[in-house]
Amino acid sequence: MVMKSSVDDDDAGWGLGIPEKMRNNVNWVDLSLGELLHDKLFGLFEAMSAIEMMDPKMDAGMIGNQVNRKVLNFEQAVKDKAIKVRDLSLPELIGIIDTCLCCLITWLEGHSLAQTVFTCLYVHSPDLIEDPALKAFALGVLKVCDIAREKVNKAAVFEEEDFQAMTYGFKMANNVTDLRVTGMLKDSTRIRQGEQRNPEVELEHQQYLALFNRIKFVRLLLTALIAFTKKETSSVGEAQKLMAQAADLLSAIHSSIQYGIQSQNDTTKGDHPIMMGFEPLVNQRLLPPTFPRYAKIIKREDMVVYFSKLIERIKTVCDVINTINLHGILDFFCEFSEQSPCVLSRSLLQTTFLIDNKKVFGIHLMQDVIKDALRCFVSPPVLSSKCCLFNNHQAKDYIDSFVTHCSRPFCSLIQIHGHNRARQRDKLGHILEEFATLQDEAEKVDAALHGLLMKLEPQRQHLACLGTWILYHNLRIMIQYLSEFLYAWLMSTLSRADSSQMAEERIAEEQQKGRSSKKAKKKKKVRPLSKEITMSQAYQNMCAGMYKTMVALDMDGKVRKPSFELDSEQVRYEHRFVPFNSVVTPPPVHYIQFKEMSDLKKYNPPPGSSDLYLAASKHFQQAKLILENVSTPDPEVNRILKVAKPNMVLPEFDFSVHKYFPLVKII
Amino acid sequence: MAAQVDENGPPFNADMRSRHKLEALLNKNMRIRMTDGRTLVGLFLCTDRDCNVILGSAQEFLKSSDMFSQGEPRVLGLAMIPGHHVVSIEVEADTLADSQYCRGGR
């Protein structure tokens, strides 16, 4: 059947006009209340997914008809002289620019382009704008959107709640080069700067300055984003400088917001404030039927605050290039993610780390980075230039293929840390499978290398080197997934890595001694992993303390538990630990095992709650002692200490100091 | 067009208001005008006692007074029109041609 484009005038071909239907409450079909007349293939289930017309929450088309004003697109608005394209006053320009920047931020916070930036009519076709400053600004905003969109898409660390990738076929100023746009932004403000030499009125001077700062801000933002698209690492430093310059303009922009025109809140024209040059409904028909009516655009003051935070985040992102070791980079990603950063900064961090998905920071091969990490962590003989394995072809093949297999899971691990916080846990559960496979391979490669080494250099060992390293990462993922326990495992893994390092160093030293009799003064070397071991010990004690406190509190009936009819501890337990089943070391603990292990009856006599409080208190004390010996305490150490001290005395849970270990008080 | 419904007579009189007449209209193209002036065209899938109608693959047409986006339908998909917002219902005559309803209606 061919749909007619207009249904109004042409009534031919349609029959059965059912008029004046049930208005007098006559049922139109003899169905009973709640009964549906439907096809075999269409049931209540399908009916549930229908959108309800005339429901303001579901029917986006509804308001278009309720608003009394005419919804004009840019060309129509220009033709009708509803908006100006030249001779705009300074307050108008400032107001339009500020509103548009607010839209940009709202878009970056996860709304659709159609309801944010493209509600500004000017950006629909900047070619029609005759005012040079406004034209340059419109093009600049489009370029900023385009680069940001490209970065976010490339990094692929967004979910539907973070970002709307749809562009609805809008033109993003692709016919103009980046260079031309930055040039226009520069020139358009230069003209203004020239004009402010003879300010007749001080106010006008201030307004020129406000406009100048805004255009300059957009130029700096755009230039910084362009720098991120370059492949050289030096451009990241350049971006950082540009961002710092942009940040300096923000206070001036903030103090001049008042000069811009405000939107007219004319209720006769609709329920939404209308600003010259903006039409919130212009793209309404491009949206899916169930879209929210209006995106709530953020306020101008908040926009400036948001920009300053965004710039801070981008500056932080630039620092990643100063981190060389893979472990350092992983820590950087974890730490950055802890501030729950926005999708743009997260994406920029990803694309800065792996440029074109091949090389770290565009320079180092991922394989080399992994080898360095291995060398720092366990110093495996195979990677030591002093070991005979180093030049052995077979050994080289083994290690090279292992490292190649490592690179993809590690890239995914880093990518996971780029996702929003809420999504990370689920993804960590999935990646454990890949790491379990790696663990298996690491053990095999270890064994093969050990066999080779035994033949060539019997005094050296190559046992559990690569295995230890993978296990370390496995445990870190598992700990992140659960945010608790497993620290005993982590500690033993770290100690093994530490001793392996020491063994390698001893051999190196002995070799040196053999060659030159010059006895090197034995200086106290800082063990690279000692800090992490200490922290794990402290965490382990904190966890043990918390566990015992909880058991004791439970025993005393002080824990209020939600009780559901169908609740089952076993189901919860098993669901939570599903991702761990693929991991061999540490072996998965089954629910029955867990019940046996945690059964207090196996102790004779079974401990009472006071024994447990005491034991818990000892653990907190132990954690405190360990942490107090840390020579250079970082904020995390101080936070843990703050919790450990009062918890020693006696156990209300207070998560304000540390998010995993609460302060415990009894009321 | 053998199945033109008699425009003058009451097209929906008491004896036609029966279930199987309406069932014959299922999966036919239906055009519903709503209280706010919009018209929806889609497949008639489901209804109930209160004339709530569900149309499949529905398209929304605006009233012709709207200059801006006149003519281009918007695809809505599965849409339910509450009975009290229905102004009129029409069924496409082509698809009625050999339906039971029309034979019965003559």
Side-chain angles (χ1 to χ4, degrees):
Chain A
M1 177 210 150
V2 184
M3 250 339 138
K4 288 162 214 87
S5 61
S6 170
V7 283
D8 256 283
D9 317 305
D10 183 17
D11 267 333
W14 292 86
L16 188 77
I18 300 170
E20 290 305 310
K21 22 106 232 172
M22 310 83 331
R23 221 160 273 159
N24 39 10
N25 210 10
V26 178
N27 299 337
W28 89 309
V29 66
D30 52 351
L31 292 168
S32 50
L33 180 65
E35 193 184 350
L36 296 180
L37 181 122
H38 60 89
D39 197 61
K40 276 198 257 0
L41 298 169
F42 188 89
L44 183 62
F45 181 76
E46 285 76 18
M48 292 307 289
S49 60
I51 58 158
E52 188 176 333
M53 301 309 289
M54 302 306 289
D55 175 333
K57 283 200 204 72
M58 292 196 233
D59 185 1
M62 176 182 158
I63 37 146
N65 292 330
Q66 288 179 345
V67 173
N68 291 325
R69 77 188 126 87
K70 234 180 192 172
V71 175
L72 299 171
N73 68 14
F74 190 37
E75 282 81 5
Q76 290 165 330
V78 171
K79 212 183 277 167
D80 290 11
K81 297 207 165 49
I83 66 173
K84 299 185 196 168
V85 286
R86 68 177 144 186
D87 306 326
L88 284 104
S89 71
L90 283 165
E92 281 170 343
L93 285 171
I94 295 166
I96 290 167
I97 288 173
D98 283 355
T99 313
C100 200
L101 290 175
C102 292
C103 291
L104 180 69
I105 293 297
T106 312
W107 171 61
L108 285 174
E109 278 295 279
H111 286 275
S112 95
L113 260 187
Q115 285 186 309
T116 56
V117 178
F118 279 86
T119 59
C120 176
L121 296 175
Y122 290 110
V123 300
H124 282 255
S125 43
D127 295 344
L128 295 179
I129 307 170
E130 289 169 39
D131 183 285
L134 189 57
K135 182 173 185 167
F137 173 78
L139 286 168
V141 164
L142 285 175
K143 285 284 181 196
V144 167
C145 288
D146 200 30
I147 297 174
R149 189 181 56 89
E150 190 212 309
K151 286 279 161 194
V152 173
N153 278 333
K154 206 180 227 168
V157 289
F158 65 96
E159 305 284 344
E160 57 175 0
E161 67 268 27
D162 297 313
F163 189 71
Q164 301 287 325
M166 272 281 274
T167 53
Y168 306 93
F170 291 129
K171 287 183 201 77
M172 309 289 265
N174 293 324
N175 53 342
V176 199
T177 62
D178 294 349
L179 202 68
R180 172 126 177 75
V181 175
T182 48
M184 283 168 81
L185 282 163
K186 204 164 194 168
D187 292 341
S188 70
T189 42
R190 197 175 289 148
I191 298 164
R192 297 289 176 185
Q193 208 176 12
E195 280 172 47
Q196 57 159 294
R197 305 277 157 183
N198 303 315
E200 292 178 16
V201 195
E202 175 61 20
L203 177 69
E204 209 182 339
H205 171 72
Q206 291 297 331
Q207 290 172 344
Y208 271 131
L209 208 59
L211 178 68
F212 171 75
N213 283 333
R214 279 160 175 75
I215 300 285
K216 187 174 172 193
F217 178 77
V218 174
R219 178 167 60 86
L220 291 169
L221 185 67
L222 176 60
T223 325
L225 285 175
I226 293 171
F228 274 110
T229 61
K230 293 192 178 129
K231 289 190 174 52
E232 304 87 47
T233 334
S234 58
S235 59
V236 176
E238 190 190 318
Q240 199 169 19
K241 269 186 221 133
L242 290 162
M243 289 305 348
Q245 287 178 41
D248 292 341
L249 294 172
L250 282 171
S251 66
I253 292 178
H254 190 263
S255 59
S256 53
I257 288 176
Q258 40 157 333
Y259 296 130
I261 51 163
Q262 296 294 323
S263 46
Q264 309 293 305
N265 212 347
D266 188 350
T267 42
T268 57
K269 286 185 172 172
D271 56 342
H272 196 79
I274 299 302
M275 177 72 197
M276 186 184 71
F278 291 82
E279 175 49 72
L281 293 176
V282 72
N283 304 311
Q284 199 68 9
R285 292 181 64 86
L286 296 174
L287 300 169
T290 51
F291 238 61
R293 301 199 286 164
Y294 295 114
K296 199 164 168 268
I297 306 289
I298 74 163
K299 293 197 188 75
R300 293 179 188 179
E301 285 79 10
D302 299 340
M303 174 267 289
V304 180
V305 176
Y306 187 97
F307 266 121
S308 74
K309 287 186 184 151
L310 175 67
I311 289 172
E312 271 319 304
R313 286 193 293 265
I314 295 180
K315 274 158 70 185
T316 315
V317 165
C318 297
D319 283 333
V320 76
I321 55 164
N322 303 321
T323 321
I324 304 146
N325 190 286
L326 182 68
H327 292 185
I329 294 171
L330 263 170
D331 288 340
F332 187 98
F333 274 78
C334 289
E335 242 168 76
F336 186 69
S337 163
E338 266 169 33
Q339 324 162 21
S340 303
C342 64
V343 70
L344 179 60
S345 54
R346 275 167 14 215
S347 303
L348 286 174
L349 182 56
Q350 291 288 329
T351 51
T352 311
F353 169 67
L354 268 192
I355 293 174
D356 291 336
N357 240 349
K358 285 273 156 56
K359 288 184 171 175
V360 177
F361 306 140
I363 322 168
H364 317 288
L365 277 171
M366 190 64 191
Q367 282 92 318
D368 293 341
V369 175
I370 290 175
K371 278 185 189 168
D372 279 343
L374 260 167
R375 224 173 264 141
C376 291
F377 192 74
V378 283
S379 334
V382 69
L383 290 176
S384 153
S385 57
K386 300 236 172 56
C387 179
C388 58
L389 285 183
F390 192 69
N391 288 318
N392 183 302
H393 279 292
Q394 208 174 354
K396 236 192 170 110
D397 284 349
Y398 284 145
I399 189 77
D400 282 348
S401 84
F402 172 70
V403 164
T404 311
H405 292 164
C406 282
S407 73
R408 218 185 56 94
F410 275 94
C411 287
S412 329
L413 183 61
I414 283 184
Q415 198 181 24
I416 287 173
H417 286 103
H419 277 273
N420 73 49
R421 296 284 284 172
R423 296 273 188 172
Q424 283 183 17
R425 192 169 165 274
D426 184 46
K427 292 184 193 294
L428 285 172
H430 287 296
I431 204 177
L432 266 178
E433 267 173 53
E434 282 181 56
F435 273 86
T437 323
L438 271 187
Q439 173 108 50
D440 198 37
E441 189 182 338
E443 275 156 22
K444 281 184 189 140
V445 175
D446 268 335
L449 288 173
H450 185 64
L452 273 177
L453 193 62
M454 280 291 110
K455 279 180 220 150
L456 297 163
E457 267 184 84
Q459 78 274 28
R460 279 193 177 188
Q461 286 192 333
H462 205 296
L463 283 172
C465 280
L466 312 175
T468 304
W469 183 64
I470 295 290
L471 181 61
Y472 166 75
H473 284 286
N474 249 337
L475 291 166
R476 273 181 60 139
I477 298 170
M478 289 167 95
I479 288 171
Q480 256 180 312
Y481 177 84
L482 283 177
S483 40
E484 63 198 349
F485 90 92
L486 286 174
Y487 284 108
W489 274 90
L490 187 64
M491 250 161 54
S492 70
T493 309
L494 284 166
S495 317
R496 194 157 61 231
D498 193 48
S499 56
S500 159
Q501 266 186 5
M502 272 203 279
E504 270 306 299
E505 271 166 38
R506 212 171 38 240
I507 290 173
E509 252 170 48
E510 273 159 18
Q511 279 176 345
Q512 221 174 18
K513 265 189 241 160
R515 254 172 267 140
S516 63
S517 55
K518 187 171 59 178
K519 200 180 177 200
K521 214 179 215 170
K522 199 151 191 183
K523 44 185 175 181
K524 203 182 167 209
K525 252 196 94 189
V526 185
R527 313 247 22 107
L529 298 173
S530 63
K531 170 111 194 261
E532 220 172 329
I533 296 177
T534 316
M535 284 310 285
S536 305
Q537 276 170 340
Y539 281 131
Q540 197 206 0
N541 276 299
M542 291 301 288
C543 291
M546 281 315 301
Y547 177 73
K548 289 187 179 154
T549 314
M550 274 313 291
V551 174
L553 286 173
D554 191 27
M555 227 182 245
D556 288 351
K558 290 220 183 333
V559 186
R560 224 180 301 156
K561 290 183 201 159
S563 59
F564 302 109
E565 196 187 343
L566 299 171
D567 181 46
S568 149
E569 191 185 53
Q570 183 166 5
V571 172
R572 277 189 283 124
Y573 181 93
E574 278 163 5
H575 182 80
R576 192 151 188 218
F577 288 97
V578 168
F580 288 8
N581 288 343
S582 54
V583 182
V584 186
T585 16
V589 178
H590 292 289
Y591 181 68
I592 302 160
Q593 260 173 296
F594 161 74
K595 279 309 253 188
E596 277 168 16
M597 278 158 63
S598 56
D599 193 358
L600 294 172
K601 286 190 201 96
K602 68 180 177 188
Y603 301 103
N604 197 18
S609 59
S610 55
D611 301 327
L612 286 168
Y613 284 131
L614 192 69
S617 156
K618 276 188 189 144
H619 281 300
F620 289 128
Q621 198 173 3
Q622 188 65 27
K624 184 183 151 249
L625 279 175
I626 293 166
L627 291 176
E628 276 171 351
N629 286 327
V630 177
S631 46
T632 44
D634 59 12
E636 172 69 12
V637 172
N638 290 330
R639 279 197 298 266
I640 298 273
L641 269 175
K642 252 190 213 164
V643 178
K645 276 183 207 162
N647 282 7
M648 271 159 52
V649 189
L650 249 199
E652 201 184 336
F653 289 88
D654 180 3
F655 282 95
S656 62
V657 181
H658 195 280
K659 58 181 186 234
Y660 300 149
F661 303 114
L663 280 169
V664 185
K665 299 174 204 157
I666 282 193
I667 358 169
Chain B
M1 293 287 164
Q4 276 292 345
V5 175
D6 187 2
E7 296 282 343
N8 306 320
F12 225 109
N13 54 37
D15 66 296
M16 289 161 69
R17 202 180 290 135
S18 65
R19 183 180 305 213
H20 81 273
K21 298 279 157 58
L22 209 54
E23 262 169 10
L25 295 179
L26 284 173
N27 297 315
K28 303 277 179 288
N29 253 315
M30 196 173 253
R31 180 163 97 174
I32 297 183
R33 208 155 300 180
M34 296 200 304
T35 44
D36 72 340
R38 281 180 294 164
T39 306
L40 298 190
V41 177
L43 285 179
F44 175 48
L45 291 176
C46 183
T47 190
D48 67 359
R49 197 182 65 160
D50 302 314
C51 195
N52 297 313
V53 179
I54 297 182
L55 295 184
S57 320
Q59 286 184 298
E60 175 201 83
F61 294 81
L62 293 186
K63 53 188 168 193
S64 54
S65 62
D66 191 319
M67 298 283 288
F68 175 39
S69 42
Q70 189 207 353
E72 349 159 348
R74 189 169 71 119
V75 178
L76 292 185
L78 198 60
M80 193 273 281
I81 305 102
H84 60 275
H85 283 298
V86 176
V87 175
S88 75
I89 298 178
E90 289 158 289
V91 179
E92 195 185 30
D94 291 359
T95 60
L96 272 179
D98 47 10
S99 79
Q100 219 183 353
Y101 163 75
C102 282
R103 278 196 298 270
R106 303 210 93 180

